[in-house]
Amino acid sequence: MNTAVTYGIDQMVLEQKLAIKMEWAQHRRQALFGILDHHLTEEETILLKVLYAYMPLNDLADYDGAFFLDHVRQALKVREELPWGSTIPDSIFLNFVLPYRVNNENIDDSRKVIYGELAERVRGLSMYDAILETNYWCHERATYIGTDMRTVSPLTLMRTALGRCGEQSTLAVAALRSIGIPARQCYTPRWAHCDSNHAWVEAWADGRWHFLGACEPEPKLDEGWFRSPSRRAMLVNTRVSADYNGPEEICSDHPWYAEINMLDNYAPVKQITVQVVNAKGAPVEAEVHFQLYNYAEFYSIVTKKTNAAGQVTLKTGLGDLLLHVRNEQGFGVRKISVTDTDTFEVKLHASTEQMLVQEWSMVPPPVTTDMEECVVSEEAKRRHEARVKEGTAIRAAFEGTFYSEQQAAALAQQLGLAADRVWVVLEKAKGNSGQIAAFLLQECPRYGDLPLRLLESLRDKDLADTCQSTLADHLYSAAAYADQGVPAGLFDPYVLCPRIHFEMIAPYREQLLQSLSEVERHEYISDPQLLITHIKDSILIVQDVDRYTGMMTPAGVHRMKVTDRMSREIYFVAMARSLGIPARLEPLNLSAQYWLNEQWQEARFETVHAPLETSMPARSSIVFVAAEQHAELAAYQQTFTIARLEDGMYRTLSIPFGEKDVYGKPYEVLSGSYRVTTGTRLSDGTVLVRCSYFTVKPNETVHTTLIFRQENESVPVLGEVSEDTITCISAGVMTELPQAGIILAWLDPEREPSKHLLREMRELQLELDSCGSAVLLLARNEEAVSSIAMKGLPAAATAIRDSSYEGLKLIQEDIRMIKGSEFPIVVVLDAKRHLRYVSEGYKLGISTEIVKTVRNMKIE
């Protein structure tokens, strides 16, 4: 039987796409595709070709054919060895077991490592129980912490024991696939009812997909804290690197991957049609972006192209969306409520001249009741709790092997370095601390504190997954320029530092320098525009191939000579730093710049080489002005953003997340059309949005006022709690309620929602302290209480035990509206024990709502 047919592969399409990838990777033809000339089975050949045909450009650049063939053979070997392998349909195996990549993580040999740890634990189990057991193993390996957007590899997460949900789910999917169980990472790209997003896992067992929270085991599948908020999602999707032909709706059909829609497994849905017309009302083809308000911007959760009649459909949730459409004629926007009708028309406009201010209320899908209850026996619950406790202990024991503060102090003394500086980098390195310490031991005797300064220039996550040899490559090349007159404050961040954007840090400086002659080096240092011209002439730009841009390493760009624009910008910065030229990605627009003539110069790839004196770009700026009554509300990507119109889409500028000191200082920007978006999130998830539009001309400074729409600030009394209840809950902690009342928060400290709340409280420590309220953090036993790290929390916060949640049960008796089933549970009471605020379950922004409630409540 034809192997391609059994796997459901259109062999003609496969060969066409493979030919394109082979053309793009022609400079790596032997390293990648020479393996196809070896003695392979028909099945190995087909599966290897599938990987090549759909893999991202950065994988073609950064890995060799032997790695991919080894991966194929390992997947087939596991399928043969484990009992459920023969039950998995070929198409399911192809799309959800074979793929070596889950998201945009760095690729490593995790499959073999994890198989070695897991295979014997699951060999005698059913597929269903093997999935549960795998998640217990994941819990032993990692727990939740918020981190930056770069996704670390599974082995890195196993080394650090901490990661965000996207990394935890990457580990869980890799673990399940390593034992031959089909798995996929599920995303709600953005929540509708609160800021942020979430990722979890679906695993296939005996003909059915089940969901689970990665590294957060439950006693049964199809459970998780996200089950309730997912019923308010507008999209749940996963990405498949294939021309997918499964049963789910394809919500973003792309030539090189498909995004499939699984929302109807979680939430009530409706299929809507969007009709795009031009200014005269005639149907036109266009690209349609279905956008959600989140992080104070409108984010495209789905992008689809219309048919020839200007129509496109989507199955989505029962909330509000912003439709943003564009083509070569212009763009148009329309805010819609999905439940209003079945078809929504959007008109294209040629310019933004008529757009001054728009105001919308973006309403999320309503809260719906879960009709299915999780039925688990008491014995099963006890076994599960024991397994969770055991897993936490295993992880804690592993974390105990990381470098300690005492070891860091001893190392610092040995090397003559400041102990506090050394401890900071070693603590962040976690399980990679041995590599970092070895780097310091090897290099500091020769280079003094320069190796430590290199480590201090990195992001926290870099310290956890950058090895000694990579650090040495960057140190040796940069050290040659340490005394070459680079201005103070520029050398460490813009020459010494290996981190440029969100690419994987890899060695490249020696390789790049060796590729240049001495003459070329001197020419490029004297006139960096010559380097820009060289890169422009030698590197082919291919856009819209990969879901994520800027992922290719500079060494990979150099090898492939084909990449996306962002990776080219990163490559230029890498080349410049390797030559001792300070270079960076401009903070707001992420365009490449280099330092010359006492200022930053644009690396302009789209223009011909011009003399330096004529290449100065126009310098425009924007200054934010405070509306008197709203001055304290500004926080970037929390309550407002600014975006520039580029090719018919608004691109959000990269001002640091959460920045509040934004008033009165100029932000240097490119000239063009801009939109400022402000939003006030209400307690039910609705956002009061205001968009203002303006144009910035070359060399012009524009002042724009940040205005925030406000809700009714009265805080109603929702109920009353008895004095006996308060006495029971707070016994031994306080004798009477403060005038500013009390904040009660019941936590499940091992779970992500409670960790989010604690993180928010640390971020708003000053605001919560100024409120004057007592803060009680309650957990069900002493072990849970002791796991709450009090550092950085409000001064008035105290962690106490609420044995078996007896206090919570009393609160529920007083206030019937509190269900008490989903953590965290947050209650705000005034000094007279009146209930003024309640929140249950996962939601970001709870701490902000607490501060607002306490400041606005008045005792009746």
Side-chain angles (χ1 to χ4, degrees), residues 92 108 215 319 430 448 518 570 630 684 707 816-817 845 855:
I92 296 288
D108 56 28
C215 305
K430 302 179 179 68
E518 284 295 326
I570 293 169
H630 302 157
D684 68 351
I707 298 175
R816 298 293 181 181
M817 66 183 290
R855 288 178 176 174

Coordinates of all heavy atoms in Angstrom, one line a residue, residues 92 108 215 319 430 448 518 570 630 684 707 816-817 845 855:
I92 N -3.9 10.7 12.6 CA -3.7 11.3 14.0 C -2.2 11.2 14.4 O -1.7 12.2 14.9 CB -4.5 10.5 15.0 CG1 -6.0 10.7 14.7 CG2 -4.2 10.9 16.4 CD1 -6.6 12.0 15.1
D108 N 15.1 20.4 21.2 CA 16.2 19.6 21.8 C 15.8 18.1 21.7 O 14.8 17.7 21.0 CB 16.4 20.0 23.2 CG 15.1 19.9 24.1 OD1 14.2 19.1 23.8 OD2 15.0 20.6 25.1
C215 N 0.9 20.1 33.8 CA 1.7 20.2 35.0 C 0.7 20.5 36.2 O 1.2 20.8 37.3 CB 2.8 21.2 35.0 SG 4.0 21.0 33.7
G319 N -19.7 36.8 22.4 CA -19.4 38.1 23.0 C -19.2 39.1 21.8 O -19.7 39.0 20.7
K430 N 18.9 28.9 38.1 CA 18.2 27.7 38.6 C 19.0 26.5 38.3 O 20.2 26.4 38.6 CB 16.8 27.6 38.1 CG 15.9 28.9 38.4 CD 14.6 28.8 37.9 CE 13.7 30.0 38.2 NZ 14.1 31.2 37.6
G448 N 38.4 39.6 34.5 CA 37.8 40.4 35.6 C 36.3 40.2 35.7 O 35.8 39.1 35.7
E518 N 39.8 41.0 6.5 CA 40.2 42.2 7.3 C 39.8 43.5 6.7 O 39.4 44.4 7.3 CB 41.7 42.2 7.5 CG 42.3 41.2 8.5 CD 41.8 41.5 9.9 OE1 41.7 42.7 10.2 OE2 41.6 40.5 10.7
I570 N 17.7 41.3 13.2 CA 18.5 40.7 14.3 C 19.9 40.4 13.8 O 20.9 40.6 14.5 CB 17.7 39.5 14.9 CG1 16.4 39.9 15.6 CG2 18.6 38.7 15.9 CD1 15.5 38.8 16.0
H630 N -7.8 61.6 35.4 CA -7.4 60.2 35.0 C -5.9 60.0 35.1 O -5.4 58.9 34.6 CB -7.8 59.9 33.5 CG -9.3 60.1 33.3 ND1 -9.8 60.4 32.0 CD2 -10.3 60.1 34.1 CE1 -11.1 60.5 32.1 NE2 -11.5 60.3 33.3
D684 N -17.3 42.7 35.5 CA -17.9 41.6 34.8 C -17.2 41.3 33.5 O -17.6 40.4 32.8 CB -19.4 41.9 34.5 CG -19.5 43.1 33.4 OD1 -18.5 43.7 33.1 OD2 -20.7 43.3 32.9
I707 N -7.4 59.8 27.8 CA -8.7 59.9 28.4 C -9.2 58.5 28.6 O -9.3 57.7 27.7 CB -9.6 60.8 27.6 CG1 -9.1 62.2 27.4 CG2 -11.0 60.8 28.2 CD1 -9.9 63.1 26.5
R816 N -25.0 33.9 50.3 CA -25.4 32.8 49.5 C -24.8 32.9 48.0 O -24.7 31.9 47.3 CB -26.9 32.6 49.4 CG -27.5 32.4 50.7 CD -27.2 31.0 51.3 NE -27.8 30.7 52.6 CZ -27.6 29.6 53.2 NH1 -26.8 28.7 52.8 NH2 -28.2 29.4 54.4
M817 N -24.4 34.1 47.6 CA -24.0 34.3 46.2 C -22.6 33.7 46.0 O -22.1 33.5 44.9 CB -24.0 35.7 45.8 CG -23.0 36.6 46.6 SD -23.1 38.3 46.2 CE -22.4 38.3 44.6
G845 N -6.5 40.9 36.9 CA -7.0 42.2 37.3 C -7.7 42.3 38.6 O -8.3 43.3 38.9
R855 N -11.0 52.0 47.7 CA -10.9 53.5 47.6 C -12.3 54.1 47.4 O -12.5 55.3 47.8 CB -10.0 53.9 46.4 CG -8.5 53.6 46.7 CD -7.7 54.0 45.5 NE -6.2 53.8 45.8 CZ -5.3 54.0 44.9 NH1 -5.5 54.2 43.6 NH2 -4.0 53.8 45.3

